[in-house]
Amino acid sequence: MGRFHGRSTTVLKPKTTQEVSEILKWCNERCIGVVPQGGNTGLVGGSVPVDNEVILSLANLNKVRSFDPVSGILVADAGCILQMLTDYVAPHNHIMPIDLGAKGSCQIGGNVATNAGGLRLLRYGSLHGTVLGLEVVLPDGKILDQLTTLRKDNTGYDIKQLFIGAEGTLGVITGVSILTPPAPQASNNVILALPSFDNVLPLYQTVKRQLSEILSAFEFIDRTAYDLAVKHGQGRALSDEDVEGAECFVLVETSGGRREHDEEKLNDLLELLLTADKPLVNTGVMAQSPAQFSSLWALREGVTEAVSKEGKAYKYDISVPLSSFKEVVDNTREHLLSKGLLHDKAVKFVLGYGHVGDGNLHLNIVADSYLPEIEEALEPYIYEVVSSHRGSISAEHGIGAMKTHALPYSKSAISIELMKKIKEVFDPHGIMNPGKVLE
Amino acid sequence: MRPSPARLLNILVPVKRAVDYAVKIRVNPQQTGIDANVKHSMNPFDEIAVEEAVRLRERLKGAVTSITALSIGPPKSLDTLRTALAMGADRAVHVALPDGAPAPEPLAVARTLRAVIARHNDAAAAPADRIDLVVLGKQAIDDDLGVTGQMLAGLLGWGQATCASRLEVDVAAGEALVTREIDGGAEELRCRLPLVVTTDLRLNEPRYASLPNIMKAKKKPVETLSPADLGVDYTPQLETLKVAEPPVRVGGGKVANVDELIAKLKEAGITAA
Ligand SMILES: Cc1cc2nc3c(=O)[nH]c(=O)nc-3n(C[C@H](O)[C@H](O)[C@H](O)COP(=O)(O)OP(=O)(O)OC[C@H]3O[C@@H](n4cnc5c(N)ncnc54)[C@H](O)[C@@H]3O)c2cc1C
């Protein structure tokens, strides 16, 4: 993202868990910092050294260890790329429980280390549930083998959970055992154009009620985000007529076992929406082919790329109550305007999109260039807003190097103190990803 | 007297339900065909044809009186027709085949289209009601035969403009100006109506079906015919001997330097002339 530049001179690319163990042991004895690096797609600078640490790339640890088509349990090296795993389980009629825009580069180990959420969380839950076991190399070189494939295992503290979302500060994940769900036999999607943000919540309720178990995504894109995605060629645009008067859009995806059944449900929903006395939607479009299905998704998934093409982005990935999504975006824009920072040479756009189903808003501020004034205007402003809603300052992207100072806005002093103790237990020499998560 | 355009246009758009291009094709174990139990959608070239017909109407306003979509195939072809109707066709004709019946060959398809056009035009009360433009895909992505449009023009004795990347129709003059993609450039043809046009990829980018139009499409008329109604015989004239996957491509290797490359080339028997 061009905001973090490392000064590291060494990149190590071990091929086996044993090699990872030897590297860590060596570094630990000499107190050399180590930064685990996956696909380097993380958005908070977690995989970039802050000083001259050694980079430990997992890219060569990239084999599938086993897959059981009956239980759907996949055991893979941490360096396997998410897309590769998706393709691996596809012929067995399974899918990965996680999917995100970076799937072509990010690694399963990186996903686990960041506890990535993504587009399927609504349906399949978080990695804290789907990850069944981990193999982790601890900073002293010991290999913690918790690579079990058990669905149930209530035997004391569940240590592996600590590594999920630890962003490489406790150890290096080398193997992942994960439960993959059966592939849906039919998927459909629609994009709905809404006259007002106020309709998003009632729409979500209606959609949940009507689609129930086949609802697999409910994603929100505000008008600015949509316009940017279209401007930068992310997916085919809707017709002018269809977007006229729309303040925001919602992408609804269904995945189910039988096409006819799903289509009937979806059609009933759409009919209900269009014939209501006070319609919640202006109109919408429905994909008629897998190509259009991808194209509609591209409008949503492409926002990230569009934003980086448009300028320099300040990205906030926050959890706040659904009802405050728009207020947060609008107030931020107002706030920047009042500081005289909303113009061509400063902030160009303030936009919001995200996973409504998970209460997760991506608030992006697109600027002409990174300026200290903008940063000062945004922080701690945004963190205070989040804190006032008892929200999270980092819903799914983590803390990395970028948000360590802001941790107290989401975590109490007691929590942070415990985190520090845990870090101390695992990594007394502080070699694992120094400067990340905890200051 | 009420002014009326000198001529009106009725367009026929044949659409085929084909295995979707995003699907990975698998040959069946008997090697007689492919696994058909996969996602199907409208042949992309036909989607372009529907889009073009709808755009013609948007451009020419009242001069296009009707757009008829036609599909030959199993009951599920109705889905493909509904898509065409949702995109803007007015009515549909389904020439129904039983599930699992072999897909008709191009000549049989062309004969079917001729029969449907004849039926329609014989019943036309006025010349303005006649079908005088057929827009269809230049090929279907499942069999890639790419001859139906040409055969149809031959059978009807109409003009043909294949692989169109641009289509303009002057209804009053009874003429169309078609830009065709040819090797190394573009060719412009001025054609007289009635006319058969086949579509190429660059002609347009098809629209999404909007929800209100999907709802309206459910109420649009679909006429179901059998091949017998049209007096067309679908007995195959071609025999498929065997369907096989292409040989697996063996990956290339990397060489470290130019010398190694030259050595490898020599090994492979390639020498400078
Ligand atoms: C286009 C795009 C879309 C995205 N969409 C989403 C989204 O929808 N939801 C979401 O949650 N996130 C999203 N992300 C961010 C997401 O967190 C990362 O893309 C991904 O999970 C990180 O994987 P990676 O392999 O690239 O890890 P990296 O970026 O290389 O590393 C991320 C962190 O994990 C650590 N790490 C990596 N591998 C290991 C390992 N094997 N052991 C220990 N620590 C390790 C690193 O040290 C670093 O702290 C998106 C990113 C992009 C670029």
Side-chain angles (χ1 to χ4, degrees):
Chain A
M1 52 193 295
R3 246 183 117 182
F4 294 91
H5 299 280
R7 288 189 284 123
S8 189
T9 52
T10 315
V11 180
L12 299 173
K13 290 182 147 188
K15 286 199 174 72
T16 62
T17 303
Q18 199 52 44
E19 284 177 13
V20 176
S21 158
E22 282 160 34
I23 293 169
L24 287 194
K25 190 159 182 283
W26 201 85
C27 292
N28 193 44
E29 281 161 7
R30 291 162 182 77
C31 290
I32 299 172
V34 177
V35 181
Q37 194 168 80
N40 208 9
T41 65
L43 299 170
V44 289
S47 54
V48 184
V50 287
D51 198 1
N52 58 358
E53 300 93 288
V54 167
I55 293 177
L56 193 146
S57 160
L58 279 299
N60 283 338
L61 226 79
N62 55 7
K63 308 249 170 341
V64 171
R65 299 194 195 176
S66 67
F67 178 69
D68 177 356
V70 179
S71 63
I73 297 172
L74 171 74
V75 182
D77 286 350
C80 290
I81 290 175
L82 181 58
Q83 180 69 58
M84 182 283 240
L85 293 177
T86 306
D87 294 343
Y88 185 91
V89 297
H92 303 286
N93 278 313
H94 280 74
I95 59 167
M96 294 301 287
I98 166 171
D99 183 23
L100 40 92
K103 58 178 162 272
S105 314
C106 67
Q107 302 174 0
I108 188 69
N111 298 146
V112 174
T114 56
N115 187 22
L119 307 163
R120 290 185 184 149
L121 191 122
L122 179 70
R123 180 69 172 270
Y124 302 114
S126 94
L127 288 171
H128 280 296
T130 48
V131 169
L132 300 178
L134 290 179
E135 177 188 81
V136 182
V137 178
L138 301 172
D140 62 4
K142 280 200 196 95
I143 299 171
L144 174 71
D145 181 359
Q146 290 210 345
L147 207 51
T148 52
T149 52
L150 308 172
R151 295 284 305 263
K152 294 182 162 182
D153 177 20
N154 288 350
T155 50
Y157 303 148
D158 190 358
I159 308 280
K160 71 164 187 291
Q161 297 295 354
L162 283 173
F163 297 94
I164 302 174
E167 301 180 55
T169 58
L170 298 179
V172 177
I173 299 166
T174 49
V176 176
S177 153
I178 189 166
L179 185 65
T180 67
Q185 298 301 304
S187 303
N188 280 304
N189 64 6
V190 294
I191 282 189
L192 302 170
L194 282 64
S196 146
F197 177 82
D198 298 336
N199 294 2
V200 173
L201 284 191
L203 180 67
Y204 183 44
Q205 284 176 311
T206 310
V207 168
K208 267 203 296 194
R209 192 176 54 238
Q210 293 285 318
L211 297 178
S212 63
E213 84 288 354
I214 64 166
L215 174 64
S216 55
F218 191 96
E219 297 281 316
F220 158 74
I221 327 170
D222 74 10
R223 184 60 188 258
T224 317
Y226 171 85
D227 288 342
L228 278 184
V230 169
K231 176 174 169 190
H232 292 283
Q234 312 288 324
R236 188 196 194 305
L238 277 60
S239 73
D240 293 347
E241 199 181 310
D242 291 337
V243 299
E244 200 187 295
E247 186 173 276
C248 60
F249 300 87
V250 162
L251 185 152
V252 176
E253 183 194 67
T254 64
S255 316
R258 217 167 128 248
R259 196 172 60 94
E260 291 78 5
H261 167 261
D262 297 2
E263 275 174 8
E264 199 176 318
K265 268 188 157 173
L266 190 57
N267 280 327
D268 287 351
L269 166 71
L270 299 175
E271 199 149 342
L272 182 88
L273 288 176
L274 289 175
T275 55
D277 287 341
K278 286 196 195 116
L280 293 171
V281 304
N282 285 345
T283 176
V285 297
M286 173 148 91
Q288 301 292 307
S289 64
Q292 289 194 351
F293 178 85
S294 315
S295 194
L296 289 184
W297 261 120
L299 286 167
R300 159 65 188 88
E301 285 189 276
V303 176
T304 322
E305 195 177 319
V307 161
S308 52
K309 284 185 175 162
E310 182 65 34
K312 300 292 179 192
Y314 295 86
K315 299 186 178 190
Y316 296 91
D317 155 42
I318 57 184
S319 281
V320 284
L322 282 178
S323 53
S324 63
F325 272 27
K326 179 173 151 57
E327 180 193 319
V328 169
V329 177
D330 286 352
N331 289 355
T332 306
R333 194 180 292 120
E334 282 298 311
H335 175 72
L336 288 164
L337 185 67
S338 73
K339 299 258 173 199
L341 287 168
L342 202 64
H343 55 83
D344 268 8
K345 291 281 153 259
V347 171
K348 300 202 278 184
F349 300 101
V350 177
L351 53 115
Y353 59 98
H355 318 291
V356 172
D358 317 331
N360 180 187
L361 172 68
H362 294 307
L363 168 65
N364 284 197
I365 291 92
V366 189
D368 185 51
S369 58
Y370 291 127
L371 294 175
E373 305 92 276
I374 299 178
E375 195 158 330
E376 272 159 38
L378 291 173
E379 294 178 22
Y381 171 79
I382 289 174
Y383 296 138
E384 283 163 6
V385 171
V386 172
S387 189
S388 74
H389 288 290
R390 288 193 61 114
S392 168
I393 56 140
S394 192
E396 58 174 16
H397 294 163
I399 296 293
M402 206 157 139
K403 315 239 144 130
T404 49
H405 62 286
L407 197 55
Y409 289 101
S410 279
K411 287 279 148 71
S412 70
I414 298 182
S415 306
I416 295 178
E417 196 187 309
L418 274 172
M419 286 192 208
K420 287 188 170 152
K421 282 192 183 148
I422 290 169
K423 167 84 178 170
E424 178 70 25
V425 168
F426 282 92
D427 183 22
H429 293 183
I431 64 159
M432 288 310 306
N433 218 355
K436 313 292 163 56
V437 183
L438 296 165
E439 267 179 320
Chain B
M1 201 179 81
R2 196 165 54 94
S4 63
R7 289 187 67 152
L8 294 169
L9 200 58
N10 293 283
I11 307 175
L12 177 70
V13 188
V15 293
K16 182 174 186 179
R17 176 177 178 270
V19 171
D20 189 86
Y21 79 81
V23 168
K24 192 172 164 355
I25 304 287
R26 289 204 195 89
V27 172
N28 66 17
Q30 309 82 358
Q31 295 203 312
T32 53
I34 59 162
D35 174 11
N37 202 4
V38 292
K39 180 96 186 167
H40 284 60
S41 46
M42 191 190 298
N43 173 38
F45 291 101
D46 301 345
E47 217 182 333
I48 294 173
V50 178
E51 175 69 28
E52 196 59 23
V54 177
R55 286 192 193 185
L56 273 179
R57 168 150 62 199
E58 284 166 357
R59 283 204 300 273
L60 301 174
K61 303 276 160 16
V64 174
T65 27
S66 76
I67 300 172
T68 305
L70 176 147
S71 193
I72 310 168
K76 282 196 173 138
S77 305
L78 264 180
D79 292 348
T80 310
L81 287 172
R82 290 288 170 208
T83 300
L85 294 170
M87 288 174 72
D90 306 302
R91 47 187 291 271
V93 177
H94 179 204
V95 182
L97 301 182
D99 264 325
E105 292 167 2
L107 186 57
V109 174
R111 286 195 173 125
T112 308
L113 297 178
R114 177 180 61 176
V116 169
I117 293 170
R119 240 171 95 99
H120 180 99
N121 287 357
D122 290 348
D129 295 338
R130 296 171 66 87
I131 290 174
D132 35 20
L133 180 63
V134 181
V135 186
L136 72 170
K138 71 166 182 177
Q139 73 199 78
I141 60 163
D142 48 5
D143 56 25
D144 273 341
L145 291 171
V147 290
T148 305
Q150 295 87 322
M151 287 178 170
L152 176 64
L155 290 176
L156 290 168
W158 291 9
Q160 59 173 296
T162 55
C163 309
S165 61
R166 204 181 140 89
L167 171 63
E168 278 171 63
V169 180
D170 184 340
V171 181
E175 269 182 10
L177 192 64
V178 184
T179 308
R180 307 180 57 222
E181 308 229 324
I182 55 169
D183 277 350
E187 177 183 72
E188 277 199 359
L189 297 180
R190 188 181 295 281
C191 318
R192 212 148 258 302
L193 298 178
L195 176 68
V196 176
V197 175
T198 74
T199 61
D200 216 326
L201 280 183
R202 261 175 287 266
L203 184 58
N204 61 50
E205 199 187 341
R207 69 194 61 197
Y208 299 116
S210 78
L211 301 183
N213 288 340
I214 290 173
M215 297 302 158
K216 276 186 219 147
K218 291 186 184 160
K219 303 203 174 77
K220 290 182 181 176
V222 179
E223 184 185 4
T224 306
L225 298 172
S226 70
D229 293 337
L230 296 164
V232 188
D233 180 9
Y234 284 178
T235 316
Q237 300 185 31
L238 304 171
E239 189 189 347
T240 301
L241 300 181
K242 185 175 147 188
V243 180
E245 301 204 3
V248 187
R249 194 174 155 270
V250 277
K254 262 192 193 164
V255 291
N257 51 42
V258 176
D259 291 343
E260 210 179 294
L261 174 67
I262 292 173
K264 288 257 187 228
L265 288 175
K266 282 194 177 143
E267 218 176 279
I270 301 167
T271 50

mmCIF file of all heavy atoms in Angstrom, chain A residues 289-316:
data_model
loop_
_atom_site.group_PDB
_atom_site.id
_atom_site.type_symbol
_atom_site.label_atom_id
_atom_site.label_comp_id
_atom_site.label_asym_id
_atom_site.label_seq_id
_atom_site.Cartn_x
_atom_site.Cartn_y
_atom_site.Cartn_z
ATOM 1 N N SER A 289 -26.007 -15.011 -15.243
ATOM 2 C CA SER A 289 -25.004 -16.002 -15.633
ATOM 3 C C SER A 289 -23.850 -15.901 -14.653
ATOM 4 O O SER A 289 -23.714 -14.890 -13.958
ATOM 5 C CB SER A 289 -24.507 -15.697 -17.039
ATOM 6 O OG SER A 289 -23.844 -14.449 -17.052
ATOM 7 N N PRO A 290 -23.016 -16.926 -14.585
ATOM 8 C CA PRO A 290 -21.851 -16.835 -13.709
ATOM 9 C C PRO A 290 -20.981 -15.621 -14.031
ATOM 10 O O PRO A 290 -20.380 -15.030 -13.130
ATOM 11 C CB PRO A 290 -21.107 -18.140 -13.973
ATOM 12 C CG PRO A 290 -22.176 -19.102 -14.357
ATOM 13 C CD PRO A 290 -23.145 -18.284 -15.157
ATOM 14 N N ALA A 291 -20.928 -15.234 -15.292
ATOM 15 C CA ALA A 291 -20.128 -14.060 -15.650
ATOM 16 C C ALA A 291 -20.697 -12.813 -14.981
ATOM 17 O O ALA A 291 -19.967 -12.003 -14.403
ATOM 18 C CB ALA A 291 -20.096 -13.890 -17.159
ATOM 19 N N GLN A 292 -22.012 -12.670 -15.026
ATOM 20 C CA GLN A 292 -22.630 -11.503 -14.387
ATOM 21 C C GLN A 292 -22.534 -11.608 -12.864
ATOM 22 O O GLN A 292 -22.388 -10.604 -12.170
ATOM 23 C CB GLN A 292 -24.094 -11.375 -14.811
ATOM 24 C CG GLN A 292 -24.238 -10.936 -16.260
ATOM 25 C CD GLN A 292 -25.649 -10.483 -16.594
ATOM 26 O OE1 GLN A 292 -26.585 -10.643 -15.809
ATOM 27 N NE2 GLN A 292 -25.818 -9.914 -17.772
ATOM 28 N N PHE A 293 -22.602 -12.824 -12.372
ATOM 29 C CA PHE A 293 -22.450 -13.055 -10.933
ATOM 30 C C PHE A 293 -21.097 -12.496 -10.468
ATOM 31 O O PHE A 293 -21.014 -11.751 -9.494
ATOM 32 C CB PHE A 293 -22.548 -14.565 -10.672
ATOM 33 C CG PHE A 293 -22.356 -14.974 -9.239
ATOM 34 C CD1 PHE A 293 -23.415 -14.958 -8.352
ATOM 35 C CD2 PHE A 293 -21.113 -15.391 -8.777
ATOM 36 C CE1 PHE A 293 -23.243 -15.339 -7.026
ATOM 37 C CE2 PHE A 293 -20.931 -15.772 -7.456
ATOM 38 C CZ PHE A 293 -22.004 -15.745 -6.584
ATOM 39 N N SER A 294 -20.045 -12.811 -11.223
ATOM 40 C CA SER A 294 -18.712 -12.305 -10.865
ATOM 41 C C SER A 294 -18.640 -10.804 -11.028
ATOM 42 O O SER A 294 -17.987 -10.102 -10.262
ATOM 43 C CB SER A 294 -17.620 -12.899 -11.752
ATOM 44 O OG SER A 294 -17.793 -14.252 -11.902
ATOM 45 N N SER A 295 -19.295 -10.318 -12.058
ATOM 46 C CA SER A 295 -19.259 -8.896 -12.332
ATOM 47 C C SER A 295 -19.925 -8.086 -11.211
ATOM 48 O O SER A 295 -19.428 -7.025 -10.814
ATOM 49 C CB SER A 295 -19.948 -8.638 -13.676
ATOM 50 O OG SER A 295 -19.655 -7.362 -14.119
ATOM 51 N N LEU A 296 -21.022 -8.613 -10.681
ATOM 52 C CA LEU A 296 -21.690 -7.914 -9.576
ATOM 53 C C LEU A 296 -20.799 -7.939 -8.334
ATOM 54 O O LEU A 296 -20.650 -6.933 -7.645
ATOM 55 C CB LEU A 296 -23.049 -8.554 -9.262
ATOM 56 C CG LEU A 296 -24.159 -8.330 -10.299
ATOM 57 C CD1 LEU A 296 -25.475 -8.942 -9.816
ATOM 58 C CD2 LEU A 296 -24.364 -6.851 -10.576
ATOM 59 N N TRP A 297 -20.163 -9.079 -8.096
ATOM 60 C CA TRP A 297 -19.248 -9.149 -6.957
ATOM 61 C C TRP A 297 -18.081 -8.194 -7.142
ATOM 62 O O TRP A 297 -17.596 -7.587 -6.182
ATOM 63 C CB TRP A 297 -18.725 -10.580 -6.754
ATOM 64 C CG TRP A 297 -19.453 -11.335 -5.683
ATOM 65 C CD1 TRP A 297 -20.153 -12.493 -5.840
ATOM 66 C CD2 TRP A 297 -19.564 -10.993 -4.296
ATOM 67 N NE1 TRP A 297 -20.688 -12.883 -4.630
ATOM 68 C CE2 TRP A 297 -20.339 -11.985 -3.668
ATOM 69 C CE3 TRP A 297 -19.079 -9.932 -3.511
ATOM 70 C CZ2 TRP A 297 -20.641 -11.965 -2.305
ATOM 71 C CZ3 TRP A 297 -19.390 -9.909 -2.153
ATOM 72 C CH2 TRP A 297 -20.168 -10.920 -1.565
ATOM 73 N N ALA A 298 -17.628 -8.064 -8.383
ATOM 74 C CA ALA A 298 -16.472 -7.203 -8.644
ATOM 75 C C ALA A 298 -16.762 -5.754 -8.252
ATOM 76 O O ALA A 298 -15.870 -5.024 -7.821
ATOM 77 C CB ALA A 298 -16.069 -7.289 -10.110
ATOM 78 N N LEU A 299 -18.019 -5.361 -8.379
ATOM 79 C CA LEU A 299 -18.377 -3.990 -7.991
ATOM 80 C C LEU A 299 -18.147 -3.790 -6.502
ATOM 81 O O LEU A 299 -17.743 -2.713 -6.061
ATOM 82 C CB LEU A 299 -19.839 -3.706 -8.330
ATOM 83 C CG LEU A 299 -20.142 -3.493 -9.817
ATOM 84 C CD1 LEU A 299 -21.642 -3.539 -10.064
ATOM 85 C CD2 LEU A 299 -19.563 -2.169 -10.296
ATOM 86 N N ARG A 300 -18.394 -4.820 -5.735
ATOM 87 C CA ARG A 300 -18.183 -4.725 -4.285
ATOM 88 C C ARG A 300 -16.721 -4.984 -3.923
ATOM 89 O O ARG A 300 -16.087 -4.193 -3.225
ATOM 90 C CB ARG A 300 -19.124 -5.700 -3.565
ATOM 91 C CG ARG A 300 -18.720 -6.087 -2.148
ATOM 92 C CD ARG A 300 -18.737 -4.909 -1.181
ATOM 93 N NE ARG A 300 -18.168 -5.310 0.115
ATOM 94 C CZ ARG A 300 -16.880 -5.255 0.418
ATOM 95 N NH1 ARG A 300 -16.011 -4.808 -0.464
ATOM 96 N NH2 ARG A 300 -16.472 -5.652 1.603
ATOM 97 N N GLU A 301 -16.172 -6.096 -4.416
ATOM 98 C CA GLU A 301 -14.804 -6.447 -4.053
ATOM 99 C C GLU A 301 -13.793 -5.485 -4.640
ATOM 100 O O GLU A 301 -12.693 -5.327 -4.120
ATOM 101 C CB GLU A 301 -14.472 -7.865 -4.529
ATOM 102 C CG GLU A 301 -15.104 -8.947 -3.708
ATOM 103 C CD GLU A 301 -14.545 -10.310 -4.098
ATOM 104 O OE1 GLU A 301 -15.039 -10.911 -5.066
ATOM 105 O OE2 GLU A 301 -13.606 -10.750 -3.438
ATOM 106 N N GLY A 302 -14.153 -4.842 -5.746
ATOM 107 C CA GLY A 302 -13.223 -3.959 -6.432
ATOM 108 C C GLY A 302 -13.079 -2.594 -5.776
ATOM 109 O O GLY A 302 -12.247 -1.798 -6.195
ATOM 110 N N VAL A 303 -13.891 -2.325 -4.756
ATOM 111 C CA VAL A 303 -13.808 -1.007 -4.127
ATOM 112 C C VAL A 303 -12.399 -0.776 -3.567
ATOM 113 O O VAL A 303 -11.807 0.285 -3.751
ATOM 114 C CB VAL A 303 -14.877 -0.827 -3.013
ATOM 115 C CG1 VAL A 303 -14.707 0.503 -2.309
ATOM 116 C CG2 VAL A 303 -16.276 -0.933 -3.594
ATOM 117 N N THR A 304 -11.841 -1.813 -2.941
ATOM 118 C CA THR A 304 -10.496 -1.682 -2.366
ATOM 119 C C THR A 304 -9.494 -1.245 -3.427
ATOM 120 O O THR A 304 -8.705 -0.316 -3.220
ATOM 121 C CB THR A 304 -10.025 -3.048 -1.786
ATOM 122 O OG1 THR A 304 -11.131 -3.690 -1.191
ATOM 123 C CG2 THR A 304 -8.923 -2.862 -0.786
ATOM 124 N N GLU A 305 -9.537 -1.933 -4.571
ATOM 125 C CA GLU A 305 -8.598 -1.615 -5.641
ATOM 126 C C GLU A 305 -8.874 -0.225 -6.230
ATOM 127 O O GLU A 305 -7.948 0.543 -6.493
ATOM 128 C CB GLU A 305 -8.704 -2.679 -6.731
ATOM 129 C CG GLU A 305 -7.548 -2.656 -7.696
ATOM 130 C CD GLU A 305 -7.648 -3.788 -8.717
ATOM 131 O OE1 GLU A 305 -8.021 -4.906 -8.324
ATOM 132 O OE2 GLU A 305 -7.372 -3.527 -9.900
ATOM 133 N N ALA A 306 -10.153 0.080 -6.394
ATOM 134 C CA ALA A 306 -10.523 1.382 -6.952
ATOM 135 C C ALA A 306 -9.997 2.508 -6.062
ATOM 136 O O ALA A 306 -9.478 3.513 -6.545
ATOM 137 C CB ALA A 306 -12.040 1.481 -7.091
ATOM 138 N N VAL A 307 -10.121 2.298 -4.765
ATOM 139 C CA VAL A 307 -9.670 3.312 -3.811
ATOM 140 C C VAL A 307 -8.158 3.539 -3.955
ATOM 141 O O VAL A 307 -7.684 4.669 -3.966
ATOM 142 C CB VAL A 307 -10.032 2.874 -2.368
ATOM 143 C CG1 VAL A 307 -9.206 3.609 -1.340
ATOM 144 C CG2 VAL A 307 -11.515 3.103 -2.111
ATOM 145 N N SER A 308 -7.397 2.441 -4.126
ATOM 146 C CA SER A 308 -5.948 2.636 -4.219
ATOM 147 C C SER A 308 -5.554 3.242 -5.556
ATOM 148 O O SER A 308 -4.525 3.893 -5.672
ATOM 149 C CB SER A 308 -5.202 1.337 -3.931
ATOM 150 O OG SER A 308 -5.692 0.313 -4.735
ATOM 151 N N LYS A 309 -6.390 3.043 -6.589
ATOM 152 C CA LYS A 309 -6.098 3.682 -7.872
ATOM 153 C C LYS A 309 -6.437 5.169 -7.841
ATOM 154 O O LYS A 309 -5.856 5.966 -8.560
ATOM 155 C CB LYS A 309 -6.896 3.016 -8.999
ATOM 156 C CG LYS A 309 -6.331 1.674 -9.406
ATOM 157 C CD LYS A 309 -7.071 1.116 -10.609
ATOM 158 C CE LYS A 309 -6.406 -0.167 -11.088
ATOM 159 N NZ LYS A 309 -7.311 -0.939 -11.951
ATOM 160 N N GLU A 310 -7.402 5.519 -6.986
ATOM 161 C CA GLU A 310 -7.887 6.890 -6.963
ATOM 162 C C GLU A 310 -6.942 7.830 -6.222
ATOM 163 O O GLU A 310 -6.842 9.003 -6.547
ATOM 164 C CB GLU A 310 -9.284 6.918 -6.305
ATOM 165 C CG GLU A 310 -9.936 8.273 -6.243
ATOM 166 C CD GLU A 310 -10.246 8.838 -7.632
ATOM 167 O OE1 GLU A 310 -10.561 8.064 -8.550
ATOM 168 O OE2 GLU A 310 -10.157 10.080 -7.787
ATOM 169 N N GLY A 311 -6.245 7.306 -5.232
ATOM 170 C CA GLY A 311 -5.356 8.186 -4.468
ATOM 171 C C GLY A 311 -4.764 7.471 -3.285
ATOM 172 O O GLY A 311 -4.679 6.248 -3.263
ATOM 173 N N LYS A 312 -4.340 8.236 -2.303
ATOM 174 C CA LYS A 312 -3.766 7.650 -1.102
ATOM 175 C C LYS A 312 -4.887 7.483 -0.093
ATOM 176 O O LYS A 312 -5.621 8.429 0.195
ATOM 177 C CB LYS A 312 -2.695 8.575 -0.523
ATOM 178 C CG LYS A 312 -1.555 8.835 -1.498
ATOM 179 C CD LYS A 312 -0.747 7.564 -1.731
ATOM 180 C CE LYS A 312 0.368 7.823 -2.733
ATOM 181 N NZ LYS A 312 0.963 6.541 -3.184
ATOM 182 N N ALA A 313 -5.001 6.268 0.440
ATOM 183 C CA ALA A 313 -6.163 5.995 1.278
ATOM 184 C C ALA A 313 -5.809 5.843 2.747
ATOM 185 O O ALA A 313 -4.809 5.237 3.096
ATOM 186 C CB ALA A 313 -6.846 4.728 0.793
ATOM 187 N N TYR A 314 -6.614 6.449 3.570
ATOM 188 C CA TYR A 314 -6.605 6.168 4.996
ATOM 189 C C TYR A 314 -7.763 5.209 5.219
ATOM 190 O O TYR A 314 -8.905 5.546 4.907
ATOM 191 C CB TYR A 314 -6.840 7.440 5.816
ATOM 192 C CG TYR A 314 -5.736 8.461 5.671
ATOM 193 C CD1 TYR A 314 -5.757 9.374 4.620
ATOM 194 C CD2 TYR A 314 -4.691 8.505 6.586
ATOM 195 C CE1 TYR A 314 -4.745 10.314 4.480
ATOM 196 C CE2 TYR A 314 -3.683 9.443 6.452
ATOM 197 C CZ TYR A 314 -3.707 10.346 5.399
ATOM 198 O OH TYR A 314 -2.711 11.266 5.276
ATOM 199 N N LYS A 315 -7.436 4.009 5.719
ATOM 200 C CA LYS A 315 -8.487 3.011 5.821
ATOM 201 C C LYS A 315 -8.798 2.694 7.264
ATOM 202 O O LYS A 315 -7.893 2.391 8.033
ATOM 203 C CB LYS A 315 -8.057 1.734 5.120
ATOM 204 C CG LYS A 315 -7.795 1.947 3.649
ATOM 205 C CD LYS A 315 -7.519 0.640 2.962
ATOM 206 C CE LYS A 315 -7.302 0.926 1.484
ATOM 207 N NZ LYS A 315 -7.263 -0.288 0.705
ATOM 208 N N TYR A 316 -10.034 2.779 7.616
ATOM 209 C CA TYR A 316 -10.481 2.393 8.947
ATOM 210 C C TYR A 316 -11.471 1.265 8.795
ATOM 211 O O TYR A 316 -12.423 1.352 8.024
ATOM 212 C CB TYR A 316 -11.093 3.595 9.678
ATOM 213 C CG TYR A 316 -10.045 4.659 9.899
ATOM 214 C CD1 TYR A 316 -9.847 5.665 8.956
ATOM 215 C CD2 TYR A 316 -9.206 4.605 11.006
ATOM 216 C CE1 TYR A 316 -8.844 6.608 9.119
ATOM 217 C CE2 TYR A 316 -8.206 5.540 11.181
ATOM 218 C CZ TYR A 316 -8.023 6.540 10.235
ATOM 219 O OH TYR A 316 -7.027 7.463 10.402
#
